[in-house]
Amino acid sequence: MKLGTKMLSAVTAGLVLAASLAGCSSGAATATPTPIPLPEGVPEDVILEAAGIAKDTPLITVDGAGVPAEELLYWVTYSADQYAQWGMTDLSMDMGSGQTLGSYYLDSAVENATLYQVVRNHAEELKMGWNEANEADYEAQLSQLKSSLAAQMGVGTASDGESASPDPEIAAKTDAEYVRFLAYMGLSENSFFHINEVSYLFQNLREGLYGTKGTEAPDGEKIDAAGVLHAKHILIKAVPVTDESGNVTDDGMASALEKANALYDEITVAEDPMTRFEELMNENSEDVDSSGNVNGGADGYTFGPGEMVTEFEEGTAALAVGEISQPIQSDYGYHIILRLDADNEAGQSKYADIKMNELVDQWMEEAKVERTEALDGLDVQAFYDTLAELRQTMTAAAEAEDAPAATDAPVETGTPAPTATPVG
């Protein structure tokens, strides 16, 4: 079960949505803030209303640590919302091998919840949990989130500037939109934090273990052993030739090889082959992005196993540092590759990514996951249908709250509750 890459993309994508800092399970303690009053139409326990299960009821345990219904069912909702956009709302739909769409959502939710709990468990075990720097950044994210929600809902700005005192009425409306936003996803302030804290814990672990000051800090040997490579190339694309009917009459490989061979010969006879490679790369390479950058930028590509086409990866690995390859064919055409030393900032970061992925994969394989009776008795279709009804109720309440007082003037429809946004 290779989940490291999934974790990396999920928790480092930059989408960190803030929530209350109450009840942190690991690391430095934080003060418990005063709960925000629930807006009209928002249930105290959305999960209890939608699933008949109290929000803090454990649905699975991961190495003995319980994952509450509120968090696990968030992942069910996340999947169901995505598929609902494509009209897939019948959760009894057969997905093959006896699995329904609803059971697929539930299995995916268990996998995601396990992944997140595994990171929490090991961050606490290794004493790399929540810290003051995490808290400071998280509070900034919270402020940005609330400001964004206020702007989207037309609430206004809570203050006239950094030094101005917040307008109590606007601040209260902003808080209400924030809580409604969470409730629409089936989350409370506390559970929203616990989902999002994982991005910080993951980075704490990554840096504490494999960062430049970590216990397994990278060096040239470790970077090489992890399969990290750094290279530049001259790409000569194969341009197919078609007839009037659109049939390919020439795949363009022969002409691409002819040009690549000519460039390679010119490099090998140069007094300074590496300098000549750079010159010919800038003049001839067809790996150019929309901004005119060759090879993704002046520093070339730093990559790990499986990130580039096989021919490029294997061709680079076969070279010594500073060596230039003969033309190597891939589906794109022909590559003349210059291998460079990967022991640099990009290579160190890539090493940390790879090692952290491998470690998370190991933790997932070793994790002991137990499902509870409450989970086995869950009706996913009924839960999601009831949540949809609750969302309509919350939206109607928000519209009624925003509606202006009755006058002779036309009345505009109020702004609906926000659409659920994926966390991570």
Side-chain angles (χ1 to χ4, degrees):
M1 184 183 297
K2 296 297 183 182
L3 293 173
T5 300
K6 181 178 180 179
M7 167 58 76
L8 182 65
S9 62
V11 304
T12 61
L15 181 59
V16 180
L17 300 179
S20 168
L21 299 180
C24 299
S25 62
S26 57
T30 58
T32 302
T34 303
I36 298 172
L38 294 175
E40 187 69 29
V42 175
E44 183 174 349
D45 188 337
V46 175
I47 298 304
L48 182 61
E49 294 286 337
I53 304 170
K55 63 186 178 183
D56 57 355
T57 302
L59 293 187
I60 63 172
T61 61
V62 180
D63 295 327
V67 177
E70 194 171 28
E71 181 175 334
L72 190 141
L73 292 182
Y74 163 75
W75 293 111
V76 172
T77 303
Y78 173 56
S79 294
D81 283 346
Q82 287 189 314
Y83 281 80
Q85 296 178 43
W86 304 327
M88 299 173 67
T89 57
D90 180 5
L91 305 193
S92 66
M93 180 188 301
D94 186 4
M95 300 290 287
S97 302
Q99 186 179 45
T100 64
L101 187 58
S103 62
Y104 167 72
Y105 292 160
L106 197 57
D107 289 344
S108 296
V110 169
E111 183 178 79
N112 282 325
T114 299
L115 184 62
Y116 274 50
Q117 190 60 48
V118 158
V119 171
R120 292 191 194 99
N121 290 347
H122 286 280
E124 183 172 3
E125 175 190 342
L126 295 170
K127 303 187 185 307
M128 296 181 185
W130 191 256
N131 58 46
E132 291 181 359
N134 298 154
E135 183 172 348
D137 185 77
Y138 205 67
E139 288 178 337
Q141 294 287 345
L142 173 59
S143 178
Q144 291 177 15
L145 172 63
K146 288 187 176 182
S147 295
S148 176
L149 288 173
Q152 291 175 27
M153 306 308 294
V155 169
T157 304
S159 66
D160 297 326
E162 292 183 3
S163 60
S165 299
D167 182 305
E169 183 177 352
I170 292 178
K173 288 182 177 180
T174 299
D175 283 346
E177 297 302 341
Y178 167 61
V179 171
R180 187 177 286 118
F181 166 79
L182 302 186
Y184 198 83
M185 295 185 288
L187 295 173
S188 65
E189 296 176 75
N190 191 54
S191 63
F192 197 41
F193 164 75
H194 279 290
I195 289 174
N196 283 281
E197 72 169 334
V198 175
S199 62
Y200 291 98
L201 302 183
F202 182 88
Q203 290 300 331
N204 292 350
L205 287 162
R206 178 185 180 278
E207 292 305 308
L209 295 172
Y210 305 114
T212 54
K213 296 181 180 179
T215 57
E216 296 292 332
D219 57 29
E221 185 176 340
K222 290 178 182 176
I223 289 171
D224 288 343
V228 180
L229 298 167
H230 181 203
K232 296 181 179 181
H233 73 150
I234 300 172
L235 171 63
I236 304 301
K237 290 183 178 179
V239 181
V241 177
T242 58
D243 59 22
E244 294 180 355
S245 301
N247 298 315
V248 176
T249 58
D250 183 349
D251 63 7
M253 283 292 180
S255 58
L257 177 59
E258 182 180 359
K259 182 175 181 181
N261 277 332
L263 294 173
Y264 178 73
D265 290 343
E266 191 170 342
I267 291 168
T268 56
V269 299
E271 183 175 344
D272 184 347
M274 289 186 67
T275 298
R276 190 57 181 148
F277 174 93
E278 293 276 351
E279 294 170 348
L280 293 176
M281 178 187 73
N282 291 322
E283 295 168 2
N284 297 276
S285 182
E286 295 175 299
D287 180 4
V288 182
D289 64 22
S290 59
S291 299
N293 296 314
V294 177
N295 293 339
D299 293 330
Y301 296 106
T302 300
F303 56 96
E307 294 182 9
M308 303 295 252
V309 295
T310 301
E311 296 85 354
F312 187 86
E313 179 180 337
E314 292 180 350
T316 302
L319 300 172
V321 172
E323 188 178 0
I324 299 170
S325 75
Q326 295 184 24
I328 295 172
Q329 183 180 356
S330 75
D331 290 342
Y332 293 99
Y334 282 87
H335 312 256
I336 303 172
I337 303 170
L338 166 62
R339 180 173 178 179
L340 300 169
D341 187 357
D343 189 5
N344 52 34
E345 184 175 349
Q348 292 163 0
S349 178
K350 184 64 64 175
Y351 159 83
D353 292 343
I354 291 170
K355 298 301 291 185
M356 194 63 202
N357 284 339
E358 292 175 351
L359 186 59
V360 170
D361 287 338
Q362 178 185 332
W363 287 343
M364 287 293 290
E365 293 291 345
E366 295 172 350
K368 182 179 180 181
V369 182
E370 296 181 341
R371 298 164 70 111
T372 65
E373 291 182 6
L375 178 64
D376 292 335
L378 177 70
D379 185 333
V380 179
Q381 181 77 67
F383 159 69
Y384 191 62
D385 289 345
T386 306
L387 179 62
E389 294 172 3
L390 288 172
R391 286 172 166 178
Q392 292 178 353
T393 300
M394 287 186 282
T395 298
E399 290 176 340
E401 185 178 295
D402 291 343
T407 65
D408 293 334
V411 177
E412 295 183 2
T413 302
T415 308
T419 301
T421 302
V423 182

